Amino acid sequence: MTTTAPGPPEPQGVPLASATGRWVLACSVLGSGMALLDGTAVNIALPRLGKDLGASLAELQWTVNGYLLTLAGLILLGGSLGDRYGRRRVFVIGVVWFALASAACGAARDPGLLIAARALQGVGGALLTPGSLALVQSTFRQEDRAKAVGAWSGLGGVAGAVGPFLGGYLVDGPGWRWIFYVNLPVAAVVVAIALRHVPESRDRTASGRFDVPGAALAALSLAGVTYALIAASGHAAWPSVVVAAAVGLVCGVAFVRTERRRPNPMLPLSVFSSRLFTSMNIVTLCLYAAIGGVFFLLPTQLQVAAGYSAVRAGLATLPVTVLMLLLSAPAGALAQKIGPRLPLTVGPLVAGGGILLLTRISPGSSSYLLDVLPAVVVQGLGMSLFVAPLTATVLASVDVDHAGVASGVNNAAARVAQLLIVAALPLAVGLSGTAYQNAHQLNAAFGKSMVICAVLCVLAGLTAYLLVPTGALQQEEDQPRNARPECLTNCGFPAPPLEPGPGRETAAS
C-alpha cells in the first residue's frame, strides 16, 4: 500500500459571485451538460441511425449499452482518480477523451465501429461526470457550496430539456452524426475555461491503491450479463448465451469477494448493513429500470409507429423535464416535512399510471394532446414526486461520513438498472432483428414493454411503503448543513446537497 504525504492545506474556497466562481460553475455545467445532452439526444436518433447503418435491434441496444457499460463500470473509479491526481486534470482528460470518442462515433460507417466508439465515449464520461460536481464541491467556499450545487443542478436540468429537441433538430436537419460532432466545439470551450480559470484541487489525504481489480470485475460482470440478454433476444446460439451469462455471474461473485477483502474497496459493502440503504437501492433499481425502458423505446414508437418527425418526438417528452425542473425541489421539501414514505409510495404509482397511458400511442395516434400529452404529464408528476425524496432518503440512510459513498453507489445502481433494462426488455417482449422498423410489430412489443415498466414502478412503490419509515429524514434535519464531506476517496463522488436541485437526480438520465 502507498501513502501520500500530507501537503499544505488547500485554500478555503472561492466565492460564488467572484469571476473565478462563475468560470468554475460554467465549466462544470458545460462539461456535465455535454454528456447529459448527448445521452438524451442519441435515443431520439436511434430509428434514423438504424436505417442509415442497416443496424439490427441488437446493434441499437449495444449503441446505448456500449456507453452505459463502460460508464457504469468505471464511474466510481473515475472519481477517485480525480481525488488522487487532481480533479481539474482528470476532468479535462475526460472531456478531451469524450470529444475524441464523439468524433469517432460521428465518423462510424458501420454499427460495430459505432458501438466501439460509444464504449470509448463511456470511459470519457466516467472521468468527466463525477469530476464536474467535484470541481464545484472542492472549489467554492463552504457557505456558497449549497448555492453553487443548486445552480449546477438547475442548469444541468436545462441541458436535459434541450437534449431531445436538439437531437431531433439535428436528425431531421444535418443528420444524426452531428449529435456527436456538436460535442467537439463544446469540449474545446470547456477545456479552454478549465485550463485558464479553474483552480486545481485534490484530496491530499488520499491513500491506498486504486481498486482496479474491482472495477475490472464489475465491468466484466455487467458485460457478460448484458451480452447474454441481448444475444438471447437476437436468437444467438445457446452456448454463447450460456457462456456469457456464466462469465458475468462468476465475475459478479468474484467482485463481491474482492470488495470484501480489499482495504480500500471501490464499493464498501459495509454500507449495505443499513436496511434502509439497501431498500432504497432496490427502489432505485426498479424505478430507473422503468424510466430507462420508457425512454429507450418511446422515441422509436413515436417515430416509427405514430409517424412523428424526430423533432416532434424530441419535443413530445419535454413536459416530463419541465415538471421535474419545477416540482422536484418542492417535493423534496414536502418529504422533509411529512416524511419520505408517502412520496416514495405515491410517486412511483403515479408514474406507473402515466407509463400505462403511453400504450395509447399507436399507428393510429394522430393527436398529441389526446394520446401523448396526458401520459407524459402524469409520468412527469410521478417522477417529480419521488426523485428528490429518493436522493434525500439514500443520504439519510447512512452516517454523514459515508454520504459520498451512498451517493456514488446509488448513482451506479441507477445506471446499472438502465443498462440491464435496455438489454432485457426486447427479449422479454419478443422484439428482435429489424422488427423495430415495422409499425405494427413495434407497437405490439411497445405495449407489453410499458406494462412491464409500469409493474416495476408498482414494485418500487410497494417496497417503499413496506420498508421506508416515515421518520427516515428526521436524522437529516438534526445534522448541520455543512457536515458533509467534500469528497470520498473510495468512490470519488462528492456528497450531494441535503436538498437536491431540480432536474438533477441521483442518476444522470
Side-chain angles (χ1 to χ4, degrees):
M1 179 179 298
T2 59
T3 303
T4 302
E10 292 195 28
Q12 293 301 308
V14 301
L16 178 60
S18 66
T20 299
R22 289 191 291 269
W23 281 118
V24 171
L25 185 60
C27 182
S28 61
V29 168
L30 282 173
S32 61
M34 176 178 66
L36 180 62
L37 187 149
D38 187 270
T40 55
V42 166
N43 282 351
I44 298 296
L46 288 177
R48 191 73 55 83
L49 184 157
K51 286 185 178 179
D52 287 353
L53 297 182
S56 66
L57 178 63
E59 289 167 327
L60 293 186
Q61 289 173 275
W62 277 115
T63 299
V64 175
N65 276 354
Y67 177 81
L68 287 175
L69 181 61
T70 50
L71 180 64
L74 300 175
I75 195 167
L76 296 177
L77 183 62
S80 63
L81 288 172
D83 287 343
R84 181 74 63 85
Y85 294 117
R87 300 179 182 108
R88 185 188 69 175
R89 176 186 298 175
V90 173
F91 173 76
V92 168
I93 292 172
V95 171
V96 173
W97 189 308
F98 191 89
L100 293 176
S102 296
C105 290
R109 298 299 169 184
D110 62 68
L113 291 176
L114 177 60
I115 292 166
R118 284 284 283 167
L120 290 174
Q121 206 181 23
V123 176
L127 297 175
L128 76 88
T129 301
S132 64
L133 183 53
L135 288 177
V136 174
Q137 287 281 82
S138 62
T139 301
F140 290 104
R141 62 186 184 182
Q142 203 170 49
E143 55 266 37
D144 286 344
R145 200 167 294 144
K147 293 179 184 178
V149 174
W152 177 87
S153 299
L155 292 170
V158 173
V162 171
F165 168 73
L166 179 62
Y169 170 78
L170 292 174
V171 169
D172 285 342
W176 61 265
R177 297 180 187 276
W178 283 93
I179 289 177
F180 302 108
Y181 288 146
V182 76
N183 292 330
L184 299 179
V186 176
V189 172
V190 172
V191 171
I193 294 174
L195 295 179
R196 186 174 179 84
H197 298 287
V198 176
E200 183 62 281
S201 66
R202 57 174 52 85
D203 181 2
R204 298 183 183 276
T205 65
S207 63
R209 298 181 184 275
F210 292 115
D211 188 9
V212 175
L217 287 170
L220 288 172
S221 176
L222 292 173
V225 173
T226 302
Y227 178 87
L229 291 171
I230 293 177
S233 67
H235 308 294
W238 69 265
S240 65
V241 175
V242 172
V243 169
V247 169
L249 294 175
V250 169
C251 288
V253 172
F255 170 74
V256 172
R257 296 184 64 180
T258 298
E259 298 306 279
R260 183 177 293 140
R261 294 174 179 175
R262 288 187 67 86
N264 294 286
M266 182 179 75
L267 176 61
L269 298 179
S270 59
V271 295
F272 291 100
S273 61
S274 165
R275 190 180 78 164
L276 180 58
F277 179 75
T278 302
S279 302
M280 284 299 90
N281 279 284
I282 293 173
V283 171
T284 298
L285 286 169
C286 291
L287 289 177
Y288 282 93
I291 294 168
V294 169
F295 287 107
F296 173 61
L297 288 178
L298 180 58
T300 303
Q301 174 75 357
L302 288 170
Q303 293 174 71
V304 175
Y308 280 39
S309 67
V311 171
R312 285 190 67 197
L315 289 173
T317 58
L318 186 60
V320 174
T321 306
V322 172
L323 286 169
M324 291 185 67
L325 283 169
L326 295 176
L327 301 179
S328 287
L334 176 66
Q336 200 79 35
K337 180 181 293 186
I338 67 172
R341 185 183 187 186
L342 186 60
L344 288 176
T345 301
V346 175
L349 297 180
V350 173
I355 291 172
L356 285 178
L357 288 176
L358 289 172
T359 59
R360 292 167 52 86
I361 302 171
S362 66
S365 299
S366 58
S367 172
Y368 174 77
L369 293 179
L370 295 178
D371 297 324
V372 182
L373 183 61
V376 294
V377 167
V378 174
Q379 182 186 347
L381 288 172
M383 290 174 63
S384 300
L385 194 57
F386 71 68
V387 163
L390 177 61
T391 303
T393 307
V394 166
L395 294 176
S397 66
V398 297
D399 59 70
V400 171
D401 290 339
H402 290 92
V405 173
S407 174
V409 171
N410 193 247
N411 193 307
R415 296 176 191 278
V416 168
Q418 293 171 321
L419 171 74
L420 294 179
I421 196 68
V422 170
L425 204 52
L427 174 63
V429 300
L431 189 66
S432 63
T434 58
Y436 71 93
Q437 297 176 359
N438 181 288
H440 293 284
Q441 288 181 303
L442 174 64
N443 184 62
F446 179 78
K448 297 175 185 175
S449 299
M450 294 306 98
V451 171
I452 292 173
C453 291
V455 169
L456 287 171
C457 287
V458 172
L459 289 176
L462 290 176
T463 301
Y465 178 78
L466 295 173
L467 299 178
V468 177
T470 301
L473 297 181
Q474 289 180 353
Q475 61 185 17
E476 203 167 75
E477 293 178 351
D478 299 332
Q479 294 173 359
R481 176 172 293 276
N482 295 324
R484 300 202 180 274
E486 294 184 16
C487 65
L488 270 293
T489 303
N490 286 339
C491 77
F493 270 85
L498 292 176
E499 298 174 4
R504 197 76 179 197
E505 60 272 13
T506 305
S509 304

